Amino acid sequence: AQSVTQPDIHITVSEGASLELRCNYSYGATPYLFWYVQSPGQGLQLLLKYFSGDTLVQGIKGFEAEFKRSQSSFNLRKPSVHWSDAAEYFCAVGNQAGTALIFGKGTTLSVSS
Amino acid sequence: SQTIHQWPATLVQPVGSPLSLECTVEGTSNPNLYWYRQAAGRGLQLLFYSVGIGQISSEVPQNLSASRPQDRQFILSSKKLLLSDSGFYLCAWDWDSNTEAFFGQGTRLTVV
């Protein structure tokens, strides 16, 4: 069955430090992959997506993610974190069954000064 | 451009009262529509999805129901709310289950 795992429930990073949020997926074919961000009390906003082609994708707000088929991973990265990046981050994969995207349980990012 | 509206933003309801949350999409036709519930530490739980008017699929048996009376309108309802219905409810739409989904701003429901 398709699934998405975000191993880290909560991560704290110092402002200006680099960030990597992990995402592993289980999928029977070439996946469509997404990263969303959710600020407190808000809906989800798409950061970036991967459908095909270059395995390193650039997104909004300085984020990037790399698709690694051999590791079934789609980790999100940012070279220098800003305090405004504190939020919850969700990884998602497209659904072969034709229903909704499959989401991970999310990683909460805290940024310390 | 497409927009999605969800209301109300917050709601406090007593146990046993009815519920109606509304979601509308503008700027597109025949979207897939979704209702999610988000509880702390549990991620996004898909409650219902709809691929067309009157077509509702339920992912999880519960005290809630959904209806799609018009192409771009999706309503989440309950006849009698339970304390466990408290949570953050998100409406979303997309064109295809493998494409980007667009989310509303959410409704914070507190059942007291």
Side-chain angles (χ1 to χ4, degrees), chain A residues 36 38 42-43 46 94-95 99, chain B residues 38 49 97-98 100-101 104-105:
Chain A
Y36 285 84
Q38 183 183 32
Q42 299 295 313
L46 183 71
N95 192 334
T99 55
Chain B
Q38 187 176 19
Y49 70 94
S97 62
N98 282 310
E100 173 185 354
Q105 291 300 294

Side-chain angles (χ1 to χ4, degrees), chain B residues 47-67:
Chain B
L47 301 176
F48 301 95
Y49 70 94
S50 171
V51 298
I53 296 174
Q55 301 178 61
I56 309 294
S57 296
S58 174
E59 290 291 300
V60 183
Q62 58 221 321
N63 183 43
L64 302 169
S65 62
S67 62

Side-chain angles (χ1 to χ4, degrees), chain B residues 23-107:
Chain B
C23 172
T24 59
V25 179
E26 297 177 357
T28 187
S29 59
N30 198 31
N32 296 329
L33 295 169
Y34 306 91
W35 278 110
Y36 290 89
R37 178 167 55 203
Q38 187 176 19
R42 297 184 62 184
L44 291 165
Q45 180 187 31
L46 178 64
L47 301 176
F48 301 95
Y49 70 94
S50 171
V51 298
I53 296 174
Q55 301 178 61
I56 309 294
S57 296
S58 174
E59 290 291 300
V60 183
Q62 58 221 321
N63 183 43
L64 302 169
S65 62
S67 62
R68 185 169 178 174
Q70 300 180 44
D71 181 44
R72 291 169 289 178
Q73 183 184 30
F74 204 26
I75 299 171
L76 183 68
S77 304
S78 174
K79 292 183 179 179
K80 289 186 177 181
L81 284 169
L82 306 172
L83 287 174
S84 58
D85 292 324
S86 294
F88 192 58
Y89 290 83
L90 288 161
C91 180
W93 74 272
D94 65 26
W95 282 300
D96 180 278
S97 62
N98 282 310
T99 61
E100 173 185 354
F102 300 87
F103 286 80
Q105 291 300 294
T107 296

